[in-house]
Structures are given as structure tokens and as C-alpha cells.
Amino acid sequence: MFITYNNKKHEKDILEKTLRAELMSISGKGAKNKLIHADNLSVLKTLLDDYSGKVDLIYIDPPFATNGHFKISEDRANTISSSNGGAIAYSDILVGADFLEFLRERLIFLRELLSDCGSMYLHIDYKIGHYVKLIMDEVFGRGMFRNDITRIKCNPKNFDRKAYGNVKDLIFFYSKTESPIWNDPKIPFSNDDIERLFKKVDKDSRKYTTIPLHAPGETLNGNTGKEWRGVKPPKGRHWRSDPVILEELNKQGLIEWSINGVPRKKIFVDERDGKKMQDIWEFKDPQYPNYPTEKNIDLLKFIVGASSNEGSLVLDCFCGSGTTLVAAQELNRNWIGIDKSEHAIKVAKKKLDNMPASLFSKVEYEFIKQV
């Protein structure tokens, strides 16, 4: 299924006819990390020379087709009306088909930059997101769609309008292939989780629960289908581990036997690293941002930690105030950030240059401008 609109170009034309950016190094020439002040489409075309298939993670927070201007004041950033004072940080005036093609062009180049173990996260507003997903299905393939993540962005609002309050936006998560980097991030159990999930207590006052020792799938040949301690796995199932391993677990007191002689494995809460993250995230935006639409640093660190490894290359071509770059730096990833807003670049440079000395003596990066 493809979305159609009047100004849609052929993918081949986008890849071949997009003009390359002429770039000039201002400082830090040769550094692995790069902050680029330029139009991102032409830069993405240029980056293909050196980085095609080499980027492990892309996060972008593009304009949301709001048809508005976002301004910045000296003390803090705010979204304010065009009639008020303040310098324009960026304008979000592309709407409809023009916006969709603007985004599609960039997504095509981003796909080419992704490595075979790479992932793409796109942050978007709920008003345009459903159209954007169709574009991403086309560019990356429907089979590469992994999650539609709901991000709780703010506290509840009481707007006087005939609709439900909006406290969320969306993050679309795609991969380049079926084998992306995935570090299976966990979040801590709450006290309620512990009381609900780990109801049993052993002689040492350790809270635990139990899980079956068998799994779906019948094994006709092999030890996991054989009887162990007089018990066979239920029909159509097999032991999760070889009976030799089950025997060792039993000796260690890690198997609990029911009154009916059914064995189950003990799982202690103090040995678990948390619970699996689900697809509703609560990472609220900063109350007093340094730049309009600045995102929560913990949100970006979570994404970077989940879908890249130390030494991976992370790319954000709408880097704004540089939150993605800071997150990548803190987690020992390499990074490339691109933005055409002079105000964004100034804020990003300040963030990078003022990162805590306890973490880094100095953040090394090449600052590049479009000629």
C-alpha cells in the first residue's frame, strides 16, 4: 500500500538528482563526531560517499507540519506566536503533500545510510503521524516496522474544546533488516509490580515467583523430550533445559515442586534487572527548554542504549539543540548532527562544549558549514 500525492518524485530521481552539499570544515578537522550547519537533504547526499551502510542508529524529530514559527528568546526557548518578540529558531511551514515529500526525500537517503543492523526512530505529532507511517512503510518496507510508540510528553491539559486532551506524540521504530542491534532495555520493577508478580518468600526472606520448566514444541529426539525424575514434559512441549541442567538447578534449590509433583523454576526479584519496556513511554519534555521542542535527554539515552552499541555511529539530521548528540556522547557512541538553523547550532555547540568535565575532558567534534 502506497500513499499518493501530486508532487511525489521517483525514488531514483531523488537519489540521483539531489544536489550534493559543498561543505567546509571550520574546526576540529578529522574528528569522528561531526556537527554540520547546513540543509540536511544535500548533506545526506554527500554523506553517502563515506557513510553508506555505516550508521547503526538514526533518530529524527522533524517539523510536524504545524504551519507555524518557533521562536527563541535570550533566557529560554518557547513556542510563541509570530506577533510576539524573539528570533525565529525555525519555521514549520510545509504542510500537506509538500511536507510528506520533504520527509520522504530525507527518509530515502537515511535508509541508504543505515547499516544492516541499523534502526530508525522518527518522532512525530499525532495529527500527521498516520500519513508518515505510510511513507515509512514504503521506504523501509512494512516488514521492517517494529513499534508505534506512544510518548507521554506533558501533564494533562484542560483546553476548552470538544475533544480529549492531548498528552502524547508518536515515535515510529523501523529497522533496516530483520537483525537490528537490540539490547532489550529493561525498566525497574515498581513496588506494586513486586507485590503483584513476586508473591512468594523463601526461608531467607527473598521474594520470588515460579515459571514452567517446559516450553512449546515437541522434541522426539534429544534429551529435552525425555523423562526427568519420573516426570515427562506435557504433550506437545519439551523441557527448556537438558535434564542434566535441571538436576543441577534442583540441587541448588532453584526448583519448586508442587504437591502434585510438578516442577517449576524459582525466579527471584533481586536477580532480575527489571521488566521489559512496553510501547507507552513517559518521558516528559523539559519545562523550560533551551530550544523550542527540545526533547527529554533520558528519552534519547534510552533509545541510544536500546538500539546501538558502544562505538556505533548515531545520526540526527534534525538535531536541534543537540540532545541526541549529547546522549550519544555520554553513552560512548560516535555521532553526526545536522541542522540548518543557526540558533539550533549555537545551542547544540554550547551543550557539547559544556558537557561535565567529570565525563569528558573535552568533547571532540568537527564543526562543518555549508559553503
Side-chain angles (χ1 to χ4, degrees), residues 59-341:
Y59 168 89
I60 61 171
D61 178 23
F64 286 2
T66 61
N67 197 25
H69 300 286
F70 291 80
K71 297 187 177 183
I72 189 168
S73 60
E74 291 185 2
D75 55 341
R76 68 181 180 91
N78 249 326
T79 304
I80 55 179
S81 68
S82 57
S83 61
N84 291 330
I88 294 176
Y90 70 90
S91 295
D92 180 9
I93 55 176
L94 284 177
V95 296
D98 290 335
F99 171 77
L100 292 177
E101 188 63 1
F102 163 88
L103 196 55
R104 176 172 167 266
E105 288 176 313
R106 286 148 180 83
L107 289 173
I108 288 169
F109 282 105
L110 292 172
R111 180 198 62 206
E112 298 302 302
L113 289 164
L114 271 182
S115 69
D116 286 343
C117 59
S119 294
M120 169 87 206
Y121 289 76
L122 185 147
H123 208 140
I124 198 69
D125 185 76
Y126 73 103
K127 293 180 181 178
I128 194 72
H130 304 87
Y131 302 100
V132 171
K133 185 183 184 301
L134 290 175
I135 296 289
M136 296 190 76
D137 282 347
E138 175 185 332
V139 173
F140 293 94
R142 290 182 65 187
M144 296 302 104
F145 169 71
R146 298 202 166 266
N147 280 107
D148 169 352
I149 298 159
T150 295
R151 200 271 303 213
I152 307 301
K153 65 180 181 178
C154 62
N155 293 323
K157 299 291 191 297
N158 292 310
F159 294 127
D160 186 18
R161 60 184 180 128
K162 295 179 180 179
Y164 301 106
N166 168 235
V167 298
K168 69 169 177 65
D169 49 26
L170 307 173
I171 301 173
F172 294 129
F173 171 26
Y174 283 73
S175 61
K176 179 74 171 284
T177 68
E178 292 286 357
S179 302
I181 295 170
W182 180 244
N183 295 318
D184 198 16
K186 300 292 194 301
I187 57 174
F189 290 111
S190 67
N191 290 334
D192 288 343
D193 291 330
I194 294 173
E195 291 301 317
R196 178 171 52 86
L197 300 173
F198 298 89
K199 296 180 178 180
K200 299 184 177 184
V201 182
D202 75 355
K203 59 182 178 60
D204 298 319
S205 299
R206 296 175 70 197
K207 297 181 75 66
Y208 72 98
T209 188
T210 60
I211 61 172
L213 287 173
H214 46 72
E218 194 165 9
T219 303
L220 300 177
N221 299 311
N223 291 337
T224 58
K226 294 181 178 178
E227 184 177 289
W228 171 66
R229 285 189 164 248
V231 180
K232 291 195 71 173
K235 186 176 181 180
R237 300 178 73 86
H238 66 276
W239 299 121
R240 291 179 183 271
S241 304
D242 189 288
V244 173
I245 296 175
L246 297 180
E247 189 62 35
E248 183 60 31
L249 292 173
N250 193 58
K251 288 180 182 178
Q252 295 174 15
L254 297 178
I255 291 180
E256 181 176 271
W257 295 82
S258 73
I259 57 175
N260 296 322
V262 177
R264 291 173 65 89
K265 185 180 179 182
K266 293 180 179 179
I267 303 294
F268 292 91
V269 65
D270 58 18
E271 294 179 344
R272 307 292 287 181
D273 55 358
K275 61 183 179 180
K276 188 175 183 68
M277 186 66 154
Q278 303 300 308
D279 60 2
I280 298 179
W281 299 359
E282 187 165 355
F283 291 102
K284 294 178 181 176
D285 288 332
Q287 187 173 3
Y288 300 108
N290 295 300
Y291 188 77
T293 70
E294 182 178 6
K295 295 301 183 286
N296 186 316
I297 181 64
D298 292 329
L299 166 67
L300 271 302
K301 289 174 72 173
F302 189 85
I303 291 173
V304 170
S307 292
S308 68
N309 295 324
E310 288 197 13
S312 285
L313 179 58
V314 177
L315 170 64
D316 184 347
C317 65
F318 294 92
C319 72
S321 65
T323 307
T324 305
L325 315 183
V326 171
Q329 181 73 36
E330 288 191 9
L331 295 178
N332 199 26
R333 275 67 166 169
N334 299 315
W335 49 264
I336 298 174
I338 309 167
D339 207 290
K340 70 176 182 179
S341 165

